[in-house]
Amino acid sequence: QVRLVESGGGLVQAGGFLRLSCAASERTFSRYAMGWFRQAPGKERELVTAINSSGGGTYYADSVKGRFTISRDNAKNTVYLQMDSLKPEDTAVYYCTQDARMYGSARSIIPEVWGQGTLVTVSS
């Protein structure tokens, strides 16, 4: 089964930026939509953004529109999350996920495989 490894989390001040990366272990990466979820303390895990297999279709939660950008490099089996203008409410563990279906849409991603998560802390 594919393994997903996130990196790039850390501590940043409000207004700052971070870039998360998620590397997949399988070459079938290019067939699947990928997404980023986050889970803040005491809250449920929520979908932040997703991208379809080709990179031509994306989805963003309203809370991150205009601030976060998802992208992928299928040659490197990697998906990225550029987070700008970070807010304290963005503080959470961010998880990378792969869709359960091949060539599914970003908007209707069904997470099947999860990474271990990376902590993002935004100080005020």
Side-chain angles (χ1 to χ4, degrees):
Q1 186 175 354
V2 62
R3 191 165 66 96
L4 304 175
V5 179
E6 301 104 332
S7 60
L11 173 64
V12 64
Q13 288 188 329
F17 64 92
L18 282 173
R19 189 192 196 206
L20 307 183
S21 298
C22 172
S25 61
E26 298 290 332
R27 286 179 290 179
T28 54
F29 171 83
S30 63
R31 302 176 188 176
Y32 293 91
M34 299 294 295
W36 288 94
F37 282 69
R38 68 184 179 188
Q39 187 165 21
K43 295 189 176 181
E44 292 188 354
R45 194 172 296 189
E46 63 173 353
L47 176 62
V48 176
T49 180
I51 188 168
N52 70 0
S53 57
S54 68
T58 57
Y59 164 83
Y60 294 94
D62 288 344
S63 58
V64 306
K65 278 182 183 176
R67 300 189 298 121
F68 289 13
T69 303
I70 189 171
S71 62
R72 65 190 295 159
D73 186 337
N74 286 343
K76 295 182 179 180
N77 292 349
T78 303
V79 61
Y80 304 97
L81 179 59
Q82 178 69 38
M83 304 185 293
D84 298 319
S85 302
L86 282 161
K87 305 176 181 179
E89 51 264 45
D90 294 318
T91 295
V93 177
Y94 284 72
Y95 297 91
C96 174
T97 186
Q98 179 175 288
D99 198 0
R101 310 151 300 173
M102 283 195 291
Y103 307 113
S105 69
R107 182 172 295 275
S108 61
I109 187 170
I110 301 173
E112 180 177 60
V113 183
W114 296 91
Q116 83 285 357
T118 185
L119 177 62
V120 172
T121 304
V122 184
S123 63
S124 57

